[in-house]
Amino acid sequence: MDTVLLQIKNDKAYKLIQDFEALSIVKILGKDNKPKENLHKRFRSFLNLTDEEFQQSVIDGRGNSNNS
């Protein structure tokens, strides 16, 4: 069988998918409720930089260091 990723847009649709699962038509693998973290926050914390240091690093990386 194929695995697909669906975005459920309302509670009625989710209930319908649950009914399909009860009928053994589909299987719900999981529900991702956690909000996605912004990439800049992930990389900033990974590099142990403050907001200002991270922004300056991005500007320098783009070659626009004259904007400081």
Side-chain angles (χ1 to χ4, degrees):
M1 292 284 121
D2 292 331
T3 301
V4 297
L5 178 67
L6 298 173
Q7 181 181 21
I8 308 297
K9 294 206 173 203
N10 67 43
D11 292 334
K12 290 180 182 179
Y14 189 73
K15 175 67 174 123
L16 184 61
I17 299 294
Q18 289 175 319
D19 291 343
F20 285 154
E21 184 177 38
L23 294 169
S24 298
I25 296 173
V26 300
K27 180 175 178 166
I28 299 173
L29 299 176
K31 187 174 180 180
D32 185 12
N33 287 331
K34 63 180 180 178
K36 300 289 183 193
E37 186 179 22
N38 291 337
L39 284 177
H40 79 278
K41 290 181 182 177
R42 270 185 41 208
F43 287 115
R44 177 181 46 100
S45 63
F46 177 74
L47 298 171
N48 296 322
L49 299 174
T50 65
D51 283 337
E52 293 80 20
E53 291 171 333
F54 181 75
Q55 290 298 325
Q56 188 60 46
S57 175
V58 170
I59 290 169
D60 292 344
R62 291 181 179 162
N64 296 329
S65 59
N66 58 351
N67 291 345
S68 49

